[in-house]
Amino acid sequence: MAMWRAAARQLVDRALGSRAAHTSTGSKKIVGVFYKAGEYADKNPNFVGCVEGALGIRGWLESQGHQYIVTDDKEGPNCELEKHIEDMHVLITTPFHPAYVTAERIKNAKNLELLLTAGIGSDHIDLPAAAAAGLTVAEVTGSNTVSVAEDELLRILILLRNFLPGYQQVVQGEWNVAGIAHRAYDLEGKTVGTVGAGRIGRLLLQRLKPFNCNLLYHDRLQIDPELEKEIGAKFEEDLDAMLPKCDVIVINTPLTEKTRGMFNKERIAKMKKGVIVVNNARGAIMDAQAVADACSSGHIAGYGGDVWFPQPAPKDHPWRYMPNHAMTPHISGTTIDAQLRYADGVRDMLNRYFKGEDFPVQNYIVKEGQLASQYQ
């Protein structure tokens, strides 16, 4: 039923968008940067997170007299985004195909008032520069936390059970049970530690509980004691003390200046030999070459995730070619369900912006020159 409601809404949106919009004195220029769907655009009526779907808000915006430009072309001085920076009022970006909003771009955006992230994670924006310029930065907090937590659990199991070599054997017409079984393990009884226990980290811990794991977490804040007891997770104040205890480590911390390059060669060496690492947070938290070297040596038995730096990842990125990885493009938080949630969240914030109303407080990343606590 939800699928058909969304499809009907998109048809109405297209009809509205076909009308000639009357531009009022209060009209705004809004630019969205999303990934292009191409041949897949029409395969699902709820596929709104792409250029073609445009978050399903084109008709609504244009019917109110606003201009809405959507593109996937975001890099270089002659890209489509650069053509609109000087006079746009709102920029909508996404972590899955990030438009890097640098201090220079902010300086050149004379009319810019609002930066919205369709999803969660706004580290592709120079947040201090945005704060200094008096811009508001907001994201759709919680919109894809379930999606990412489920994906993390998936990658843990894929790597522990050595699934990918088995799949490749089938595709290649082979059959070698020993080639898979010699490094396949159960999740039960393993010690799993999450670096970061915010919304996604807590959801992952809750989903891991039925597997009877030993659960650890490191964060700047301790989980509420009742929830901690319910989940059965133990707080580890010292990250470096937690790492060697873990069979599986999951990265769930935001990218900040403090966490950028956090997992370098020295810190990776503190992990248990044969550790599984899953990172759906941000690629730049890891030293890319150090991870590739550790996978090659076997110190990391398997590395999985969907985040890279930069994105899209260049063809020569070392993670593409390292052994025992379960890497994909940045997909975990852009399921169809998540797209509908963050599209609705963007629409709600735009509506509030037009009316001069505040956003839900948890959505603010920069407000009145102040950064949200997780980015400080």
Side-chain angles (χ1 to χ4, degrees):
M1 183 64 69
M3 174 178 287
W4 301 118
R5 282 201 302 267
R9 184 179 66 188
Q10 197 169 45
L11 287 171
V12 172
D13 192 67
R14 287 173 180 169
L16 285 169
S18 66
R19 299 176 186 173
H22 174 70
T23 303
S24 69
T25 56
S27 66
K28 301 292 184 180
K29 181 173 184 178
I30 298 154
V31 177
V33 181
F34 313 115
Y35 54 83
K36 186 173 285 187
E39 64 184 291
Y40 304 103
D42 296 325
K43 293 188 179 295
N44 189 325
N46 293 323
F47 193 3
V48 297
C50 55
V51 167
E52 294 85 348
L55 299 183
I57 59 175
R58 180 179 295 282
W60 171 67
L61 288 173
E62 293 181 351
S63 70
Q64 298 184 63
H66 303 298
Q67 185 181 6
Y68 189 32
I69 308 294
V70 177
T71 183
D72 71 324
D73 186 16
K74 62 189 180 70
E75 303 292 344
N78 299 315
C79 70
E80 185 66 21
L81 173 59
E82 286 292 333
K83 298 175 184 177
H84 304 285
I85 281 179
E86 187 174 358
D87 63 344
M88 65 185 179
H89 298 92
V90 179
L91 176 61
I92 307 170
T93 59
T94 171
F96 316 106
H97 185 71
Y100 294 104
V101 185
T102 61
E104 182 180 2
R105 279 180 162 171
I106 289 171
K107 181 180 178 181
N108 293 334
K110 306 299 183 184
N111 292 342
L112 187 60
E113 298 171 343
L114 176 62
L115 290 160
L116 292 178
T117 298
I120 57 175
S122 298
D123 48 88
H124 53 282
I125 299 167
D126 187 325
L127 297 176
L135 302 178
T136 296
V137 181
E139 58 189 41
V140 191
T141 298
S143 60
N144 52 17
T145 51
V146 168
S147 313
V148 176
E150 287 183 356
D151 187 275
E152 289 175 340
L153 180 55
L154 167 73
R155 290 178 203 261
I156 291 170
L157 290 167
I158 282 174
L159 289 166
L160 271 176
R161 300 305 293 264
N162 206 23
F163 173 84
L164 289 173
Y167 169 78
Q168 290 161 359
Q169 280 189 22
V170 171
V171 171
Q172 295 165 7
E174 300 172 359
W175 190 278
N176 182 355
V177 173
I180 306 159
H182 78 284
R183 59 192 311 273
Y185 298 90
D186 295 340
L187 178 53
E188 184 176 37
K190 301 298 184 293
T191 297
V192 182
T194 175
V195 182
R199 290 177 176 85
I200 296 171
R202 289 195 299 270
L203 285 172
L204 175 66
L205 290 170
Q206 289 171 324
R207 282 153 177 74
L208 284 167
K209 183 180 179 182
F211 286 89
N212 297 320
C213 305
N214 303 310
L215 300 176
L216 307 177
Y217 73 95
H218 169 79
D219 199 288
R220 59 191 179 86
L221 299 174
Q222 193 164 352
I223 294 175
D224 177 79
E226 288 189 15
L227 181 58
E228 188 179 79
K229 183 177 180 181
E230 177 188 328
I231 297 172
K234 179 184 175 185
F235 176 62
E236 294 278 342
E237 186 174 2
D238 186 338
L239 172 61
D240 289 335
M242 182 183 83
L243 295 179
K245 301 175 184 177
C246 297
D247 302 297
V248 178
I249 294 168
V250 186
I251 312 301
N252 276 310
T253 188
L255 177 63
T256 66
E257 288 309 306
K258 185 177 179 180
T259 63
R260 188 179 299 275
M262 183 181 191
F263 283 86
N264 53 20
K265 180 179 179 179
E266 291 72 28
R267 181 155 271 145
I268 290 171
K270 296 177 181 179
M271 298 179 184
K272 180 185 293 188
K273 181 175 173 57
V275 68
I276 297 294
V277 180
V278 171
N279 177 18
N280 280 7
R282 288 296 181 264
I285 293 171
M286 318 300 289
D287 179 323
Q289 191 58 54
V291 169
D293 291 344
C295 285
S296 296
S297 72
H299 190 82
I300 293 178
Y303 182 91
D306 69 333
V307 288
W308 310 67
F309 184 78
Q311 291 185 179
K315 291 185 178 180
D316 61 351
H317 196 292
W319 291 355
R320 290 182 182 269
Y321 309 105
M322 63 189 183
N324 304 317
H325 78 75
M327 293 298 298
T328 65
H330 196 166
I331 57 168
S332 64
T334 189
T335 62
I336 295 298
D337 305 279
Q339 289 176 45
L340 293 174
R341 288 190 293 266
Y342 62 68
D344 284 344
V346 167
R347 180 174 178 143
D348 175 68
M349 286 191 287
L350 284 173
N351 191 43
R352 291 169 185 257
Y353 163 68
F354 297 145
K355 294 178 179 180
E357 298 175 356
D358 283 343
F359 300 159
V361 65
Q362 69 271 16
N363 288 7
Y364 283 108
I365 302 302
V366 176
K367 182 184 181 183
E368 298 174 351
Q370 296 297 313
L371 272 68
S373 60
Q374 66 266 35
Y375 287 102
Q376 291 178 7

